[in-house]
Amino acid sequence: MSARAIFLTETAKYADVVLPATAWPEKDGTVTNTNRQVQIGRKAMEPPGDARPDLWIINEMARGLGLGWTYGHPREVFAEMRLAMPSLRGITWERLEREGSVTYPCDDEHSPGHEIVFGDRFPTPSGRGRLVPAEVMPPGEPVDELFPMVLTTGRQLEHWHTGEMTRRSRALDALEPVAVASLSPAELESLGIAPGGRIRIETRRGAIVCAARADADIPRGMVFMPFAYREAAANVMTDPRLDPDGKIPEFKYCAARVAPAGPGD
């Protein structure tokens, strides 16, 4: 498994090998967003210490495996991507240098990218798509009398994923410096907990003590926790069993109980 970050994350601490790759402004290359926008990046500063561009690292790894790769510049990789991906055929490196970004699919070098991927037809013999109803599966760990609430985890506006970058920002960290759990105002009232009060959230995997926040967007019976705080690792409490199709843990749903924090907490 590999991870890509410019700071050592909590996950990376478990890695056997950590490669000193360069950050975005320290190399040439492209990045493609989920909105299909291919953008060019230009080197603006020298990398620190022993950091190396991704392409240099990948080349060296390939040579160590006996592949003999000789890519000299990211434009060579991008040219190979165009051969493998017809949706990129109208996007050349030179065009990216001129325009900065182009959206795929792009028919030719003189056409703008398509705003819609499948405008007239789908890539099927009939040109039509096939809609298949999805079956809703029950959660792997339903609520019960012992754990009557649902714990769900996710991101915050201020902190991205594990917070290895955003929590280094003094402005963002001042807005959300510590982990809090969000519950509906009615839920807090029924538990006898005032907003800002200390609560204990417990699942079958462990417990976390933090402050409570009233949030009218959270339905009753649910508690939300962000997963950006290593000192309050919410995902450790979630159900580790994998979805049979997606093969991912059920981070968004597990049985929990909430109570006011006691003196021992």
Side-chain angles (χ1 to χ4, degrees), residues 33 43 61 114 137-138 143 160 162 165-166 170 178 188 212 260:
N33 296 337
K43 182 179 178 181
M61 292 177 64
H114 290 273
M137 298 176 58
V143 298
W160 175 254
T162 56
M165 293 184 66
T166 54
R170 285 176 292 181
V178 296
L188 288 176

Side-chain angles (χ1 to χ4, degrees), residues 211-229:
R213 174 177 291 170
D215 189 335
D217 291 331
I218 304 295
R220 289 203 65 175
M222 177 175 286
V223 54
F224 168 82
M225 281 205 68
F227 50 59
Y229 300 87

Side-chain angles (χ1 to χ4, degrees), residues 155-159 166-182 213 224 226 228-229 231:
R155 303 187 188 97
Q156 286 177 299
L157 174 64
E158 294 80 7
H159 294 306
T166 54
R167 292 193 73 191
R168 295 170 186 269
S169 165
R170 285 176 292 181
L172 295 175
D173 198 54
L175 292 172
E176 293 288 353
V178 296
V180 296
S182 298
R213 174 177 291 170
F224 168 82
Y229 300 87
E231 65 274 21

